[in-house]
């Protein structure tokens, strides 16, 4: 609390008056962080024409890889660290973490379904499972990036995750793994 008081220029009494205690302050910061995580995803996966859904998915997955690659201090994400360290004994953190992951899954599933309607992802594939796969990859990129994998490896993980999305019959991926190409 001393560090927060110094950084904000507020007295500890003012902080306690506004937030109650350290736990409530953390819950507020954690909740705001979770909101920001979802807002970033919404900015990339906000819907639009089905023809652009695969590009939106690719942009989001690559953005997350680049954000992790640029975190040279390996600070990581408050959502990931908070959930890993506190969710098992803090119901507020557990609930907010689950809510955030559910929101991310919904955004990913919506884009996958749009890409399926457009014919960029096999319509027989389960969009819920593919969304869970991409969410796990994105969150995993963050974990392995924090552990020290180099930026190029993080980018390659993003490319590979997108490349394994099931394509409809008669399509093949571009060499970059960043989108489909129809066979002539």
């Amino acid at each position: 609390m001393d560090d927060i008081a110094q950084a904000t220029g507020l007295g500890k009494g003012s902080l306690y008056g506004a937030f109650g205690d350290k736990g409530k302050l953390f819950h507020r910061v954690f909740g705001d962080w979770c909101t920001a995580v979802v807002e970033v995803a919404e900015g990339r996966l906000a819907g639009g024409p089905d023809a652009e859904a695969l590009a939106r998915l690719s942009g989001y997955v690559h953005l997350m890889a680049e954000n992790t690659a640029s975190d040279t201090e390996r600070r990581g994400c408050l959502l990931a660290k908070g959930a890993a360290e506190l969710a098992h004994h803090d119901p507020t953190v557990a609930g907010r973490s689950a809510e955030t992951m559910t929101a991310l899954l919904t955004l990913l599933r919506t884009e996958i379904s749009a890409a399926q309607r457009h014919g960029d992802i096999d319509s027989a594939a389960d969009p819920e499972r593919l969304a869970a796969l991409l969410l796990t990859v994105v969150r995993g990129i963050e974990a392995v990036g924090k552990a020290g994998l180099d930026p190029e490896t993080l980018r390659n993980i993003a490319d590979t995750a997108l490349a394994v999305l099931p394509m409809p019959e008669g399509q093949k991926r571009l060499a970059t793994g960043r989108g489909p190409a129809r066979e002539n």
Side-chain angles (χ1 to χ4, degrees):
M1 289 301 278
D2 290 333
D3 292 341
I4 294 169
Q6 182 178 0
T8 63
L10 299 173
K12 284 196 283 186
S14 295
L15 290 170
Y16 284 118
F19 297 102
D21 61 28
K22 292 177 192 178
K24 288 180 183 172
L25 175 59
F26 177 78
H27 289 150
R28 170 70 185 274
V29 170
F30 187 77
D32 288 351
W33 183 271
C34 289
T35 297
V37 166
V38 172
E39 286 173 352
V40 167
E42 287 172 338
R44 292 293 177 141
L45 305 172
D50 289 356
E52 298 170 6
L54 187 60
R56 289 188 298 271
L57 282 168
S58 178
Y60 176 69
V61 172
H62 285 105
L63 171 70
M64 301 312 293
E66 287 302 323
N67 285 350
T68 301
S70 68
D71 182 10
T72 56
E73 295 176 16
R74 297 189 207 159
R75 293 173 295 161
C77 169
L78 183 60
L79 170 60
K81 293 185 333 186
E85 294 178 24
L86 301 173
H88 68 283
H89 63 81
D90 185 327
T92 301
V93 170
R96 191 63 172 98
S97 298
E99 178 184 307
T100 301
M101 294 303 167
T102 298
L104 295 173
L105 278 172
T106 298
L107 290 165
L108 289 164
R109 184 181 58 248
T110 298
E111 293 298 338
I112 289 165
S113 294
Q116 287 176 308
R117 286 190 301 273
H118 185 257
D120 291 327
I121 296 176
D122 186 350
S123 62
D126 182 345
E128 186 71 34
R129 288 181 179 205
L130 293 178
L133 172 67
L134 287 182
L135 179 60
T136 302
V137 168
V138 166
R139 304 311 297 178
I141 286 172
E142 177 184 89
V144 297
K146 186 169 174 36
L149 285 187
D150 64 279
E152 190 58 28
T153 299
L154 302 177
R155 292 180 191 105
N156 289 337
I157 293 167
D159 286 342
T160 302
L162 294 164
V164 301
L165 292 174
M167 300 298 296
E169 192 74 27
Q171 283 189 357
K172 61 180 180 179
R173 296 228 178 256
L174 298 174
T176 62
R178 295 185 186 196
R182 300 196 191 282
E183 291 182 337
N184 295 328

